[in-house]
Amino acid sequence: MGRILGALGQSRLSSNLNQLAKAVNTGSLPVTPETETDLADACRDIAAIRADLLRALGKSPGDGP
């Protein structure tokens, strides 16, 4: 849990997600290969954090919500 909390504390995840949502809503998010790569990387990072949290709680990442 300490590792997860540390990773979340070092990330700007909530701020970055808010900025992405704002850009999508205003139509100002440029769709480039770099943007797609960055979004895919972020999705993988979030999935890894989720899996770590579930494991820390004694659940399997494949379990339901």
Side-chain angles (χ1 to χ4, degrees):
M1 289 298 279
R3 190 176 102 226
I4 295 165
L5 292 174
L8 285 173
Q10 291 177 357
S11 76
R12 296 185 54 218
L13 188 60
S14 61
S15 174
N16 291 345
L17 287 174
N18 186 49
Q19 289 174 0
L20 283 171
K22 184 176 180 179
V24 167
N25 287 330
T26 62
S28 63
L29 180 66
V31 180
T32 66
E34 182 181 57
T35 302
E36 289 183 30
T37 299
D38 289 345
L39 289 171
D41 290 346
C43 288
R44 277 190 295 278
D45 291 345
I46 292 167
I49 291 169
R50 179 185 181 276
D52 284 344
L53 284 169
L54 287 170
R55 277 191 289 277
L57 294 170
K59 298 184 179 251
S60 170
D63 292 347

